[in-house]
């Protein structure tokens, strides 16, 4: 695996020195690699647990996306979905505290052309809903995969993400639908 060093910083703390490196490998960033030098320990290299802080983005065949960080998923609809719907006029969001199953209905998005149910890509507990969408549902048309996230969910089982599509597979799917 080849890696490029994107940034580095160097600090001196009393009698220790820390060199932090930001790495890029393939399509993802790795956490900082810390190289610590102390006179007592010589050279110590530490890399954070990659699984504990992994940030993963996956997609469903029904055009929802989920971005997971530290066991909490942020869910929304894809740009492809908002484009197919047209101008969004109303969004029904799930209640905080709601327990949902994989592919459980959690709300709806209505546009001038159609209405579409929202499904949870994973099982878990809803921990937040994007209240800004109540006043500005058209935000979904402007930034469906960033500011217009729909809800956040505490995952019951992160292995459920393995059944979802990565970006390449999702792009393949929407290419077939076009």
């Amino acid at each position: 695996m080849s890696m490029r060093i994107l940034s580095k910083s160097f600090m001196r703390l009393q009698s220790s020195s820390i060199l932090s490196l930001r790495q890029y490998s393939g399509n993802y960033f790795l956490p900082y690699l810390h190289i610590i030098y102390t006179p007592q320990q010589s050279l110590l290299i530490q890399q954070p647990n990659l699984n504990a802080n992994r940030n993963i983005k996956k997609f469903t065949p029904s055009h929802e996306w989920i971005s997971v960080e530290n066991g909490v998923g942020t869910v929304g609809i894809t740009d492809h979905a908002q484009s197919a719907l047209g101008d969004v006029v109303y969004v029904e969001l799930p209640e905080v505290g709601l327990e949902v199953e994989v592919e459980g209905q959690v709300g709806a998005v209505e546009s001038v052309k159609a209405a579409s149910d929202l499904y949870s890509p994973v099982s878990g507990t809803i921990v937040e809903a994007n209240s800004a969408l109540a006043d500005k549902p058209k935000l979904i048309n402007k930034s469906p995969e960033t500011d217009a996230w729909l809800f956040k969910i505490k995952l019951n089982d992160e292995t459920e993400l393995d059944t979802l599509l990565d970006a390449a597979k999702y792009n393949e799917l929407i290419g077939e639908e076009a």
Side-chain angles (χ1 to χ4, degrees):
M1 175 189 302
S2 66
M3 295 186 196
R4 290 186 300 149
I5 304 301
L6 291 183
S7 65
K8 62 184 176 181
S9 60
F10 183 76
M11 290 187 279
R12 190 157 195 77
L13 302 172
Q14 294 177 355
S15 62
S16 299
S17 298
I18 300 175
L19 176 66
S20 295
L21 305 172
R22 182 73 167 158
Q23 303 170 354
Y24 177 76
S25 173
N27 295 326
Y28 56 92
F29 290 97
L30 296 174
Y32 281 95
L33 176 69
H34 301 290
I35 300 173
I36 303 168
Y37 174 78
T38 63
Q40 300 83 11
Q41 295 178 322
S42 188
L43 184 65
L44 174 65
I45 299 176
Q46 295 178 334
Q47 186 162 7
N49 180 347
L50 294 178
N51 291 330
N53 294 314
R54 65 184 184 157
N55 189 342
I56 301 168
K57 189 166 187 179
K58 296 282 193 140
F59 302 86
T60 68
S62 57
H63 308 292
E64 287 90 12
W65 59 266
I66 182 169
S67 178
V68 179
E69 188 168 356
N70 298 323
V72 176
T74 302
V75 179
I77 65 169
T78 64
D79 186 56
H80 177 78
Q82 74 77 25
S83 180
L85 282 168
D87 291 336
V88 175
V89 294
Y90 176 75
V91 180
E92 178 188 335
L93 298 171
E95 295 290 323
V96 171
L98 178 68
E99 294 280 333
V100 296
E101 295 299 319
V102 174
E103 298 179 0
Q105 185 178 348
V106 292
V109 176
E110 295 179 14
S111 72
V112 294
K113 293 199 287 188
S116 180
D117 290 331
L118 296 173
Y119 300 97
S120 179
V122 294
S123 64
T125 305
I126 305 298
V127 294
E128 188 176 351
N130 190 348
S131 58
L133 296 177
D135 296 330
K136 298 178 183 176
K138 290 186 183 207
L139 188 58
I140 289 177
N141 297 114
K142 293 180 179 150
S143 58
E145 295 190 34
T146 54
D147 298 332
W149 57 272
L150 300 169
F151 62 92
K152 294 186 180 190
I153 184 169
K154 174 76 174 144
L155 280 66
N156 284 343
D157 183 2
E158 282 198 39
T159 62
E160 292 171 350
L161 296 169
D162 298 338
T163 64
L164 301 176
L165 306 171
D166 62 17
K169 295 272 188 208
Y170 181 72
N171 287 331
E172 191 176 298
L173 172 75
I174 62 176
E176 291 171 3
E177 289 182 2

